[in-house]
Amino acid sequence: MERLELKEIQRLEGHTDRVWSLAWNPVTGHNGVPLLFASCSGDKTIRIWEQNLSSGVWSTKAVLDEPHTRTVRSCAWSPSGKLLATASFDATTAIWENVGGDYECVSTLEGHEHEVKSVSWNASGNLLATCSRDKSVWIWEVLPGNEFECVSVLQGHTQDVKMVKWHPTMDILFSCSYDNTIKVWADEGDSDDWQCIQTIGEPNNGHTSTVWALSFNASGDKMVTCSDDLTLKIWESENIGMQSGGGFRHWRHFCTLTGYHDRTIFSVHWSREGIFASGAADDAIRLFVDDNESQVDGPLYKLLLKKEKAHDMDINSVQWSPGEKPLLASASDDGTIKVWELVSQR
Amino acid sequence: MDDIFDSSLNLEETHHKEGYNQGYSEGLATGKEEARQVGLKVGFEVGEELGFYKGCIDLWVSAIRADHTVFSSRAQAGIRQMEELLQRYPMMDPEDQHVQEIMDELRRKFKMVCSSLHIKKIEYDGYPKAAASDASSLEF
């Protein structure tokens, strides 16, 4: 069997404080468009990074240093790649538009009473979700002229909400929290009637400490979650069609990966090729894949590789790039971002 | 045949009973007064909050009456829902189990309407603030 390794392509410096999160622009990396991603930091700025097509070298394309007055915790590109949403501890979410290579702040979403922790666009790009330390999750509709209107304020979590993420194909929203649960939200009626349709907690084989992040596989029938309880958990659902209100609404525990991390797992991201990466407070990156040779009752996913000392400090975010040959980017408390390539070891 | 020592033998019990009765009636009086003060305070807070919403809604409804395109249809729906919630609030029955439910829903809708109307902050001294999560989650 071939041995794989994560090869560091470049170490990106520029942020002057911890780097919290990064997001690849989904429409880059094919048709001759150079790969591009945004990163956000405790230094209150957002940086746009682009790869040079001929040299392959990464450099800062833009630094967005207004209007956020505190840490920028999370960022997300709209599916069209035209808009960037950034969530900040200043309780606002900013929307940036790429106008001929310049980034212009076209809207500021206000409503949360405390730090905004995460932001996510739905698959069609007409809905945006945000979550906050005020324990609420907000859903916004994208209106013409870069207007955003609040559709619903969702209350249900009993603590800080760490991340919101839309299902890759359906308008179903997922949130995970410091209250150790994952909640599933869907529009139950015909008019803005968003309700919590499932709470995945400890009694359902759920996590026993803060759930930090979640990610879906390409087909959207599996979800991976990572936690302060040092485990990764895989959940499954099916597309049962429109009869009972559409699919991917009810999730079951599939398997738990224990014993791979001994510090908090902050980030997890599933690639379209079926490899999921995890980044943790132990400064290491791990990759997992489906285990075809798994015995009955054996673990259904196996560790593909472990990259020790990937960073000097905690790894806050790991994200696979779009494109035919995905790269992995990692963001860390050490203030740097690293771009990695998965290659065969010689 | 009265025992001349009888009354002195029961002395302790008699005093105990007397003290208990005295304490009970005093406790009853101060407890009642304390409850009255709490009731006044909470009642005032609830009334103030409901009145605040009523004032905002009346103004918004008047604005809509003057120009029905002034707010988005989603904001108008929110305002109507708040109006209904206020009418349903059991003002005269504080022990009704729906009291908290309706108040939570009013607060939720108020946030949504304010956001739709691009109102940054309207509140009064003592407006209930949403409590943040535990301090231990503050940094991240």
Side-chain angles (χ1 to χ4, degrees):
Chain A
M1 195 187 118
E2 64 166 349
R3 303 250 324 145
L4 294 165
E5 73 167 322
L6 262 188
K7 197 179 116 205
E8 183 181 320
I9 295 183
Q10 202 176 327
R11 180 170 176 267
L12 308 179
E13 290 180 27
H15 282 299
T16 56
D17 199 330
R18 54 176 78 175
V19 190
W20 277 117
S21 180
L22 65 95
W24 292 91
N25 187 315
V27 300
T28 64
H30 27 71
N31 300 329
V33 182
L35 275 170
L36 181 145
F37 68 84
S39 64
C40 56
S41 159
D43 68 10
K44 303 170 196 162
T45 72
I46 299 120
R47 280 179 173 260
I48 310 289
W49 307 86
E50 193 178 56
Q51 188 178 31
N52 186 296
L53 272 180
S54 47
S55 67
V57 174
W58 291 85
S59 57
T60 302
K61 209 187 167 206
V63 181
L64 320 181
D65 56 1
E66 272 180 4
H68 290 305
T69 56
R70 291 184 61 195
T71 288
V72 187
R73 182 65 180 84
S74 161
C75 53
W77 294 94
S78 63
S80 68
K82 291 200 175 76
L83 298 175
L84 176 71
T86 56
S88 167
F89 283 3
D90 66 13
T92 71
T93 305
I95 308 293
W96 308 79
E97 190 178 3
N98 181 354
V99 189
D102 277 336
Y103 291 86
E104 218 175 276
C105 180
V106 291
S107 196
T108 308
L109 279 50
E110 294 178 353
H112 280 296
E113 290 182 43
H114 294 284
E115 293 89 333
V116 187
K117 294 298 179 79
S118 171
V119 59
S120 174
W121 299 84
N122 71 340
S124 45
N126 67 322
L127 294 174
L128 189 76
T130 56
C131 64
S132 160
R133 193 162 79 93
D134 66 16
K135 306 169 195 171
S136 67
V137 172
W138 288 50
I139 297 175
W140 310 79
E141 188 185 11
V142 187
L143 303 173
N146 289 319
E147 276 284 319
F148 289 76
E149 187 172 33
C150 172
V151 174
S152 194
V153 175
L154 309 176
Q155 232 114 33
H157 282 296
T158 57
Q159 293 291 347
D160 188 14
V161 190
K162 296 299 188 188
M163 189 190 229
V164 277
K165 195 104 191 156
W166 289 94
H167 186 270
T169 59
M170 307 284 287
D171 280 343
I172 301 175
L173 182 68
F174 296 76
S175 59
C176 56
S177 163
Y178 183 64
D179 69 11
N180 307 352
T181 71
I182 302 141
K183 281 183 182 283
V184 187
W185 310 86
D187 193 352
E188 287 293 80
D190 38 14
S191 58
D192 302 347
D193 188 19
W194 288 82
Q195 302 281 347
C196 176
I197 53 171
Q198 192 186 0
T199 299
I200 305 171
E202 226 181 308
N204 331 96
N205 276 317
H207 289 288
T208 56
S209 188
T210 304
V211 189
W212 278 97
L214 63 98
S215 179
F216 293 92
N217 67 348
S219 54
D221 61 355
K222 294 234 168 43
M223 164 173 79
V224 58
T225 55
C226 66
S227 165
D228 181 54
D229 69 9
L230 314 180
T231 70
L232 289 151
K233 284 178 185 279
I234 319 283
W235 309 86
E236 66 170 345
S237 183
E238 56 270 311
N239 198 355
I240 44 164
M242 293 314 288
Q243 288 91 335
S244 31
F248 305 127
R249 296 165 72 88
H250 193 84
W251 294 76
R252 290 179 307 275
H253 179 254
F254 186 63
C255 71
T256 298
L257 303 178
T258 327
Y260 292 106
H261 292 269
D262 48 17
R263 298 283 301 277
T264 305
I265 314 165
F266 288 124
S267 179
V268 65
H269 190 230
W270 215 321
S271 78
R272 276 161 297 113
E273 289 69 27
I275 301 173
F276 62 85
S278 65
D282 59 9
D283 315 342
I285 295 172
R286 288 163 184 80
L287 302 183
F288 297 87
V289 276
D290 226 320
D291 190 358
N292 304 323
E293 297 133 40
S294 148
Q295 307 294 311
V296 184
D297 296 334
L300 299 149
Y301 291 87
K302 65 178 177 198
L303 185 72
L304 184 66
L305 71 84
K306 177 180 177 185
K307 182 77 188 173
E308 304 262 21
K309 293 253 163 278
H311 280 273
D312 296 335
M313 291 166 82
D314 292 10
I315 297 169
N316 296 316
S317 181
V318 282
Q319 297 290 321
W320 292 101
S321 77
E324 286 103 55
K325 211 168 171 298
L327 301 173
L328 184 73
S330 57
S332 164
D333 271 2
D334 66 17
T336 71
I337 297 149
K338 285 184 181 178
V339 183
W340 309 86
E341 191 181 3
L342 188 58
V343 292
S344 310
Q345 220 169 37
R346 280 157 224 254
Chain B
M1 51 160 235
D2 281 351
D3 187 335
I4 53 155
F5 297 113
D6 205 26
S7 59
S8 55
L9 279 175
N10 288 329
L11 204 58
E12 191 184 338
E13 198 190 331
T14 313
H15 282 270
H16 183 272
K17 230 178 211 161
E18 228 170 77
Y20 177 85
N21 288 338
Q22 212 174 328
Y24 187 88
S25 49
E26 277 199 19
L28 201 67
T30 53
K32 234 180 181 170
E33 181 52 26
E34 209 179 304
R36 209 178 96 86
Q37 293 304 327
V38 171
L40 277 173
K41 184 171 173 286
V42 174
F44 177 82
E45 284 168 0
V46 169
E48 191 181 31
E49 192 173 354
L50 292 175
F52 172 71
Y53 294 144
K54 182 87 173 84
C56 291
I57 291 165
D58 282 353
L59 181 81
W60 291 333
V61 167
S62 307
I64 295 167
R65 210 171 287 139
D67 173 6
H68 59 89
T69 62
V70 66
F71 304 137
S72 73
S73 55
R74 189 171 274 135
Q76 294 197 26
I79 293 164
R80 270 198 306 278
Q81 285 160 350
M82 282 190 76
E83 225 178 350
E84 285 161 23
L85 286 165
L86 268 180
Q87 275 161 15
R88 265 175 46 209
Y89 194 94
M91 204 85 73
M92 291 304 153
D93 186 6
E95 283 177 37
D96 187 304
Q97 52 181 343
H98 299 299
V99 163
Q100 195 53 44
E101 203 178 290
I102 296 176
M103 187 58 105
D104 288 346
E105 193 62 11
L106 269 169
R107 288 174 183 163
R108 210 168 66 88
K109 292 282 178 211
F110 183 67
K111 279 184 201 164
M112 283 172 55
V113 172
C114 284
S115 169
S116 279
L117 267 48
H118 298 287
I119 295 167
K120 276 188 190 173
K121 210 174 210 173
I122 40 167
E123 56 186 41
Y124 51 86
D125 287 347
Y127 184 76
K129 298 254 167 60
S133 185
D134 288 5
S136 45
S137 68
L138 191 115
E139 252 304 286
F140 325 110

